[in-house]
Amino acid sequence: MPRRGLILQTRTHWLLLGLALLCSLVLFLYLLECAPQTDGSAPLPGVIGENYGKEYYQALLQEQEEHYQTRATSLKRQIAQLKQELQEMSEKMRSLQERKNVGANGIGYQGNKEQTPSDLLEFLHSQIDKAEVSIGAKLPSEYGVIPFESFTLMKVFQLEMGLTRHPEEKPVRKDKRDELVEVIEAGLEVINNPDEDDEQEEEDSPLGEKMIFNENDFIEGYYRTERDKGTQYELFFKKGDLMEYRHVTLFRPFGPLMKVKSEMIDITRSIINIIVPLAERTEAFAQFMQNFSESNFHNYTLIPLNEEFNRGQGLNVGAQAWDKGEVLMFFCDVDIYFSAEFLNSCRLNAEPGKKVFYPVVFSLYNPAIVYASQDVPPPVEQQLVHKKDSGFWRDFGFGMTCQYRSDFLTIGGFDMEVKGWGGEDVHLYRKYLHGDLIVIRTPVPGLFHLWHEKRCADELTPEQYRMCIQSKAMNEASHSHLGMLVFREEIETHLHKQAYRTNSEAVG
């Protein structure tokens, strides 16, 4: 029994093994039958078709490589841009550091890299010292002074007109507009962010906040250029109805602006003694007093002189008659029309022992010629315009001036040897040019010379008579209006021919 059981067990083992092999074979055959049919030339990739799978993966690798190359190129480009931006930022930081180093004395100066900041500062300060900013220069004649030109936010009042420029105009050239805008912004920067050495006090608004000035607070400015040194700017700012002005002096030594000083000027107690010499001319005097009264002035003093008229003598007497100490004097004529704003300009531009003010008057032409197309000329107030056909800047006249009494007496006053019309003002002007005081010469918008008929007396010297005739010719009319007068007969003849031809064609 045990032997038969062993044989049976062995057979059973082999039988099971055979069945397992048979099942495996059947399953294998089934899989072969169920597998999809393929073209012999296109085997399955990566399974049976080994060649196709290699090309496939090579294509995949090439595609991935191109993708990463494109990505790397983009990253390189971004890195290059970042490097460029970093370099620009470094340059800006270096520039700001240079400005900070020079900021105590200059505004935004970028110097030569081979020069040290101390060398640059020394050079820039030497330019200011050479220029006529802090002390007057001794000049050979009345034509040696470099006049200022004045400007506001919108207009420039200029002396050298030529044939294309106007006495009052908006800055046409972009460089001039940019220059004046930059100057005003620099002045505001000085006022709103003062240095410790500025002569001004911190000022609060009525609400207790710090008073900040803006471009609308700019009142007027003057500039002039000494061509071998730089450009000087005098700026005046004022808040609303306050009578305290902020004065900023800037200088551009062929480069950035440099602050010279910043100060507060209080004009509330600044009295002006207006001195007007007069002989006859009662009608003109009545007009002058009417204009004078409209400005709310009520204090008058009449000093009669029983002698031959001498303008210089009259002004000398008026200056010496004041017995209340130091005072600002305005030497004026009866034919002058001035505004209250002009008197403020007098206060701002004259300083005892420092500077005198010689404004350039705008002289009006004969209204009978200027307004010939109208039945009657308009009122005087409507004639006060700055146009080429209405008047001109009287840059050859030096009679209107604002100066302190102490300076006038120190310089010696007018020359009493000059008799009659003209000449005395030029002599006084030359005295100041030969001295150490600064002469402020600039056209101002609020000062007009009203036209009146001139009579050149036979008693005048040849030089005085020539000056009188020259002034008479200059005062009559503009070039265009004078040309119309000179060629009046030719123009009338032409118009007559034109009318005759028109009538003939109409009849025919």
Side-chain angles (χ1 to χ4, degrees):
M1 287 292 295
R3 186 175 180 179
R4 286 185 61 187
L6 178 62
I7 295 174
L8 180 59
Q9 187 177 10
T10 302
R11 288 179 179 178
T12 303
H13 174 75
W14 285 106
L15 179 60
L16 292 174
L17 180 61
L19 290 174
L21 292 174
L22 179 61
C23 290
S24 299
L25 178 60
V26 173
L27 179 62
F28 179 73
L29 292 175
Y30 176 80
L31 291 175
L32 289 177
E33 289 295 331
C34 294
Q37 299 295 322
T38 59
D39 188 0
S41 61
L44 290 174
V47 178
I48 299 177
E50 182 180 357
N51 291 336
Y52 182 89
K54 183 178 180 180
E55 294 176 355
Y56 175 78
Y57 284 114
Q58 286 178 345
L60 288 178
L61 289 174
Q62 183 176 359
E63 181 180 352
Q64 291 295 325
E65 183 178 0
E66 292 177 354
H67 171 75
Y68 287 118
Q69 286 180 350
T70 303
R71 178 62 176 166
T73 302
S74 175
L75 291 174
K76 288 179 180 179
R77 183 170 59 253
Q78 295 181 31
I79 291 173
Q81 292 176 351
L82 291 174
K83 286 182 177 180
Q84 182 178 359
E85 293 178 2
L86 180 61
Q87 182 178 0
E88 293 176 356
M89 291 297 297
S90 299
E91 292 177 355
K92 290 181 179 180
M93 292 296 295
R94 190 183 307 112
S95 174
L96 291 174
Q97 185 64 33
E98 291 176 358
R99 295 185 181 185
K100 182 179 179 181
N101 293 337
V102 189
N105 297 287
I107 298 178
Y109 181 77
Q110 297 181 0
N112 192 318
K113 294 182 179 180
E114 298 178 357
Q115 293 179 304
T116 63
S118 60
D119 293 335
L120 294 173
L121 286 176
E122 183 179 355
F123 168 77
L124 295 176
H125 280 293
S126 67
Q127 290 290 81
I128 296 180
D129 294 336
K130 294 175 185 176
E132 192 181 359
V133 177
S134 301
I135 187 172
K138 296 183 179 180
L139 304 173
S141 70
E142 63 269 26
Y143 300 104
V145 68
I146 301 176
F148 285 79
E149 293 190 342
S150 58
F151 65 99
T152 62
L153 279 177
M154 300 300 297
K155 295 181 179 180
V156 174
F157 304 92
Q158 51 203 4
L159 285 176
E160 299 178 3
M161 293 186 298
L163 296 177
T164 59
R165 300 174 64 187
H166 299 274
E168 173 196 84
E169 68 179 16
K170 295 182 179 179
V172 178
R173 288 174 45 180
K174 182 179 183 298
D175 58 341
K176 176 58 66 176
R177 294 197 305 270
D178 294 345
E179 175 195 9
L180 298 182
V181 169
E182 178 192 5
V183 168
I184 294 174
E185 290 178 350
L188 291 171
E189 177 68 20
V190 169
I191 294 176
N192 293 327
N193 299 286
D195 294 337
E196 295 180 357
D197 57 346
D198 288 341
E199 297 180 3
Q200 59 187 38
E201 300 176 358
E202 290 291 334
E203 208 171 353
D204 295 334
S205 67
L207 298 178
E209 302 175 349
K210 179 182 178 182
M211 187 174 294
I212 301 298
F213 286 75
N214 56 51
E215 63 179 11
N216 295 325
D217 301 318
F218 176 70
I219 303 301
E220 62 180 356
Y222 310 110
Y223 67 93
R224 67 176 176 182
T225 300
E226 295 184 59
R227 301 191 183 278
D228 59 338
K229 301 177 184 68
T231 302
Q232 174 186 353
Y233 305 90
E234 303 289 340
L235 310 176
F236 298 95
F237 300 82
K238 185 173 76 70
K239 274 287 186 185
D241 296 331
L242 299 179
M243 292 307 292
E244 291 182 343
Y245 286 74
R246 291 293 181 89
H247 175 208
V248 177
T249 300
L250 301 173
F251 189 78
R252 187 196 299 276
F254 296 123
L257 297 169
M258 295 189 69
K259 183 192 68 179
V260 177
K261 66 178 177 180
S262 177
E263 61 183 355
M264 181 183 296
I265 302 178
D266 185 2
I267 64 171
T268 54
R269 298 183 179 180
S270 180
I271 298 175
I272 297 182
N273 185 14
I274 304 175
I275 305 176
V276 182
L278 179 65
E280 302 176 349
R281 312 265 329 266
T282 54
E283 183 178 347
F285 181 66
Q287 177 67 43
F288 178 85
M289 294 304 296
Q290 180 181 351
N291 300 336
F292 198 71
S293 301
E294 290 176 358
S295 301
N296 295 322
F297 297 105
H298 306 288
N299 189 8
Y300 315 109
T301 300
L302 180 64
I303 304 177
L305 296 178
N306 188 19
E307 58 186 55
E308 182 184 359
F309 174 74
N310 183 304
R311 183 178 186 272
Q313 172 66 4
L315 293 173
N316 271 344
V317 170
Q320 294 172 356
W322 180 268
D323 58 358
K324 299 178 182 179
E326 183 69 288
V327 69
L328 176 60
M329 304 183 302
F330 171 37
F331 294 156
C332 187
D333 282 342
V334 72
D335 307 305
I336 295 298
Y337 185 103
F338 59 87
S339 64
E341 289 75 16
F342 164 74
L343 296 180
N344 287 337
S345 298
C346 268
R347 295 181 174 99
L348 296 172
N349 290 285
E351 186 177 345
K354 188 69 175 293
K355 54 187 178 181
V356 294
F357 188 40
Y358 271 86
V360 181
V361 181
F362 193 78
S363 188
L364 297 177
Y365 292 133
N366 186 346
I369 299 177
V370 176
Y371 304 99
S373 60
Q374 303 181 19
D375 295 335
V376 294
V380 172
E381 291 76 14
Q382 298 181 18
Q383 300 178 27
L384 305 179
V385 293
H386 302 90
K387 295 184 178 180
K388 295 183 71 172
D389 287 336
S390 64
F392 66 100
W393 291 113
R394 199 183 186 90
D395 57 341
F396 57 83
F398 308 98
M400 308 307 112
T401 174
C402 298
Q403 50 194 262
Y404 276 85
R405 184 173 183 270
S406 59
D407 295 329
F408 177 75
L409 297 178
T410 300
I411 207 73
F414 286 100
D415 187 352
M416 294 296 95
E417 298 300 323
V418 179
K419 304 296 183 181
W421 186 93
E424 79 290 334
D425 51 355
V426 179
H427 283 78
L428 179 65
Y429 186 65
R430 288 173 179 171
K431 285 184 180 181
Y432 284 114
L433 296 181
H434 297 160
D436 294 329
L437 271 65
I438 299 175
V439 176
I440 304 296
R441 179 76 166 160
T442 178
V444 289
L447 190 63
F448 293 86
H449 178 269
L450 304 179
W451 181 89
H452 61 88
E453 187 176 0
K454 284 187 176 294
R455 186 183 67 85
C456 299
D458 296 334
E459 296 80 14
L460 297 176
T461 65
E463 177 64 16
Q464 289 178 326
Y465 192 83
R466 183 190 65 81
M467 293 174 61
C468 184
I469 291 296
Q470 181 183 17
S471 178
K472 184 175 182 178
M474 290 285 293
N475 287 338
E476 199 64 23
S478 65
H479 289 177
S480 60
H481 282 154
L482 287 176
M484 297 293 287
L485 293 175
V486 171
F487 301 108
R488 175 185 296 176
E489 293 184 3
E490 182 177 341
I491 294 173
E492 291 178 352
T493 301
H494 172 75
L495 294 177
H496 179 73
K497 291 180 178 179
Q498 288 289 101
Y500 177 77
R501 184 178 305 154
T502 302
N503 293 333
S504 299
E505 292 177 353
V507 173

